[in-house]
Amino acid sequence: MREFVKKLLPRSIFNIVRPIFQCWYVLYAYLYDYVRYLKYSSSLGYTSAAKLESIIVMNYHVVEKGLTMPKTRLGFGKDRIPRLCDFCDRYILNYDLSASNQVQHAVGVLKEYLDFHDKREFSVQQELKTRILRTVNLAESKLRINPTKQIDITREEYFKFGTGHFPDFASSRKSIRNYSSENIPDDTMRLVFRTAQTSPSACNRQTARVHVFSDKEKIKEILDIQGGSGGFGYLANKLIVITAELGAFGGAHERYQAYIDGGMFAMNVLYALHAYSIGCCILNCSNAPYKDKKLQKACNIDKNEVFIAMISCGFVPERFSIATSQRYELEEIYTIR
């Protein structure tokens, strides 16, 4: 269509019409995204096994994080856990529990939650305990499920594959939410980002940008807006904010490219931090408009840059805990076409 119009119109007229055409085409593309997202996402409800499983994973992972905090608040999860139980019950009653290692893992996390508190001689609120046991009993009427066990590990064990075979190195990297007070030298951070720059980008446009914060008050301000680092964010020695430059892209077909390139760069940053024996945890930056504006102001980031992710990081203590973070079976994500 574009080439047809270009041949039909004089160049001077085409140059005037082109921006108007682009505006309409970008609008059409986002309308296409809007319809598809509403239709196939979980925005309007958890209407399939896959959608229900996804919200179960998200909720059990919050419980896992609570179990591995530097200072776990005993009795946590009074609001979250009943919701997790409701979702698990719904899945068990409507779908095949034996087909989902994720839902089985969720039930295992619920059992671990009770065991965790029993070992510390803390009495979980009776109503909450009863609710958990109801879900556990429902699941175990189908099959036996063992409690999960979050990972307790030493610094030496965690980083032992830092210079090893890549599959071992990649598998050993986990999100860490416990940091020591030791400062990360600026020279080390520069090495991290120099390594991360090996990330590919569309037509080598290299649009990823990095903003590093060290001031504790500023880190707290930003993380309070982000809202996903309660219980550990205050320990971060550095907060890395990754953005991508929108100006390098144009047209409806490149509307996602900043996020794709930025996401690959963020993964490279995580690997580089791991290689330099720095613990880190990536934090969600998918923001509603009001939060996006607040973060732009707090981070003093130009409006032409979009948020990709935040990463809290620091050197790690001698011993710490990390979440199990159950992975899907390969057969569930791998298809030969």
Side-chain angles (χ1 to χ4, degrees):
M1 180 65 177
R2 179 178 178 274
E3 292 303 317
F4 173 76
V5 173
K6 190 174 181 180
K7 290 177 181 178
L8 188 66
L9 297 175
R11 187 173 187 83
S12 59
I13 302 298
F14 176 78
N15 288 338
I16 295 172
V17 172
R18 184 174 179 273
I20 300 172
F21 174 78
Q22 285 285 7
C23 287
W24 279 107
Y25 195 48
V26 169
L27 180 62
Y28 166 75
Y30 276 107
L31 180 61
Y32 168 81
D33 293 341
Y34 167 77
V35 172
R36 184 172 65 169
Y37 187 72
L38 277 185
K39 184 175 181 179
Y40 296 108
S41 73
S42 299
S43 301
L44 302 181
Y46 305 103
T47 54
S48 69
K51 291 178 180 180
L52 194 53
E53 191 176 65
S54 69
I55 192 64
I56 289 171
V57 171
M58 188 176 79
N59 278 276
Y60 85 58
H61 189 56
V62 172
V63 180
E64 284 189 317
K65 289 187 286 187
L67 293 170
T68 58
M69 286 294 170
K71 296 179 181 178
T72 296
R73 178 173 54 83
L74 296 177
F76 74 92
K78 293 176 183 177
D79 295 325
R80 177 77 62 171
I81 290 175
R83 289 203 300 273
L84 173 59
C85 291
D86 290 344
F87 288 128
C88 286
D89 289 357
R90 186 170 153 191
Y91 189 98
I92 295 164
L93 291 170
N94 290 282
Y95 303 104
D96 182 7
L97 177 60
S98 66
S100 175
N101 68 344
Q102 292 291 350
V103 181
Q104 293 173 43
H105 186 81
V107 176
V109 170
L110 291 172
K111 295 182 76 171
E112 182 183 5
Y113 177 89
L114 294 179
D115 290 349
F116 179 91
H117 288 85
D118 284 345
K119 289 174 183 176
R120 287 156 182 79
E121 299 182 345
F122 181 88
S123 297
V124 174
Q125 189 180 67
Q126 187 58 46
E127 183 180 356
L128 181 60
K129 185 175 182 178
T130 300
R131 183 66 192 88
I132 292 172
L133 290 174
R134 192 161 79 232
T135 294
V136 169
N137 291 335
L138 177 63
E140 294 199 324
S141 69
K142 308 288 184 181
L143 51 89
R144 175 68 180 170
I145 297 174
N146 293 320
T148 56
K149 188 176 182 182
Q150 305 311 307
I151 302 165
D152 184 58
I153 196 168
T154 66
R155 180 171 56 209
E156 182 179 359
E157 289 173 323
Y158 180 74
F159 289 114
K160 69 180 179 181
F161 295 114
T163 57
H165 187 46
F166 183 74
D168 293 329
F169 170 79
S171 298
S172 69
R173 191 211 62 79
K174 306 283 186 182
S175 290
I176 297 178
R177 300 173 178 86
N178 195 347
Y179 314 113
S180 72
S181 58
E182 184 181 356
N183 183 55
I184 306 171
D186 290 340
D187 287 347
T188 302
M189 296 302 292
R190 291 178 67 85
L191 290 172
V192 165
F193 299 126
R194 175 61 70 187
T195 302
Q197 282 186 292
T198 61
S199 170
S201 61
C203 297
N204 197 37
R205 279 174 279 186
Q206 305 175 62
T207 57
R209 303 290 182 264
V210 181
H211 308 265
V212 180
F213 298 89
S214 300
D215 180 76
K216 288 286 188 179
E217 288 300 315
K218 176 55 72 171
I219 290 174
K220 182 180 185 305
E221 178 189 355
I222 295 169
L223 290 181
D224 282 349
I225 299 171
Q226 189 272 336
S229 64
F232 73 95
Y234 69 97
L235 293 172
N237 179 252
K238 299 279 191 295
L239 178 65
I240 301 166
V241 177
I242 299 174
T243 64
E245 164 64 51
L246 280 178
F249 305 108
H253 64 291
E254 290 195 319
R255 64 193 183 280
Y256 294 138
Q257 199 61 50
Y259 301 99
I260 295 168
D261 289 3
M264 289 190 290
F265 181 85
M267 188 69 246
N268 252 21
V269 172
L270 294 175
Y271 280 141
L273 288 166
H274 191 48
Y276 284 100
S277 300
I278 299 170
C280 58
C281 180
I282 193 162
L283 302 168
N284 194 332
C285 245
S286 297
N287 303 316
Y290 78 94
K291 184 182 284 189
D292 193 73
K293 292 175 182 178
K294 288 182 71 174
L295 282 174
Q296 279 182 348
K297 184 176 180 181
C299 298
N300 193 26
I301 287 173
D302 293 337
K303 292 182 180 180
N304 55 294
E305 295 180 32
V306 292
F307 288 102
I308 303 299
M310 295 184 186
I311 301 173
S312 64
C313 62
F315 289 120
V316 301
E318 180 56 39
R319 194 170 201 94
F320 53 94
S321 296
I322 50 181
T324 305
S325 300
Q326 175 74 21
R327 290 310 193 242
Y328 283 98
E329 298 295 336
L330 179 61
E331 290 72 22
E332 295 180 79
I333 68 160
Y334 175 52
T335 303
I336 299 176
R337 300 292 187 184

